[in-house]
Amino acid sequence: MKFNEVLDKRYSVRNYLDREVEGEKIQAILKSSCMAPTARNSQCQKIYVVKSKEMLCKLFGGKPLFSTPLAFVVCGDKNSECKTSYSKRSLMETDLSIITTYMMLTATSLSLGSCWVCRFDEKEVSKILNLPEN
């Protein structure tokens, strides 16, 4: 698929088929996250793949959102150096946004739908997934 075709086909999917996503496709999406540019090449991302229906229900308050078969939980490592030499502020949110966009475009190129979801409580997700403090 040509790049412009990927851009044309990409949209937020809010209703998924009830079937597993192939492991090769998951790996391709994860690989694309490492290809995304980050401040100082910090690669601050920590990505968790959630496939368990039980865990998806916990993450989305009782039921899997949009009947999704999986979720990529894209987190940033606060210990990574996500600053440019001229900026004192962290660019982690910017980096994670770019990374997530790469992942979504890759999903589209693999004929998979995706939807960016920011409807969650960070502390609750951290607790559910037993994430480290950073």
Side-chain angles (χ1 to χ4, degrees):
M1 192 179 303
K2 292 182 180 179
F3 185 69
N4 283 345
E5 290 176 302
V6 172
L7 295 178
D8 287 342
K9 290 181 185 236
R10 164 71 196 117
Y11 68 97
S12 293
V13 175
R14 291 185 172 87
N15 190 17
Y16 294 91
L17 299 175
D18 186 21
R19 68 173 203 223
E20 273 190 48
V21 176
E22 298 89 340
E24 311 84 60
K25 290 182 178 182
I26 293 171
Q27 290 304 313
I29 293 167
L30 291 171
K31 182 178 178 184
S32 73
S33 75
C34 298
M35 307 296 275
T38 56
R40 299 180 67 185
N41 196 28
S42 65
Q43 298 295 316
C44 61
Q45 71 270 27
K46 300 291 181 197
I47 302 170
Y48 299 85
V49 181
V50 180
K51 297 193 285 186
S52 153
K53 293 282 187 202
E54 177 185 343
M55 194 62 79
L56 289 167
C57 285
K58 286 181 182 180
L59 286 177
F60 296 116
K63 63 179 181 176
L65 192 62
F66 312 133
S67 299
T68 180
L70 70 92
F72 291 100
V73 180
V74 181
C75 305
D77 181 352
K78 292 177 184 173
N79 292 336
S80 68
E81 187 60 39
C82 292
K83 298 175 183 168
T84 61
S85 57
Y86 57 86
S87 174
K88 301 244 190 260
R89 68 182 178 89
S90 172
L91 297 173
M92 185 178 306
E93 283 188 19
T94 302
D95 288 351
L96 296 177
S97 295
I98 296 167
I99 288 163
T100 303
T101 299
Y102 268 56
M103 293 172 69
M104 291 168 48
L105 292 173
T106 301
T108 301
S109 76
L110 298 169
S111 299
L112 295 173
S114 64
C115 186
W116 185 303
V117 177
C118 293
R119 193 184 81 186
F120 57 86
D121 179 318
E122 289 180 29
K123 289 182 181 176
E124 187 64 23
V125 168
S126 185
K127 187 171 130 183
I128 290 168
L129 294 178
N130 195 28
L131 301 179
E133 286 294 314
N134 62 324

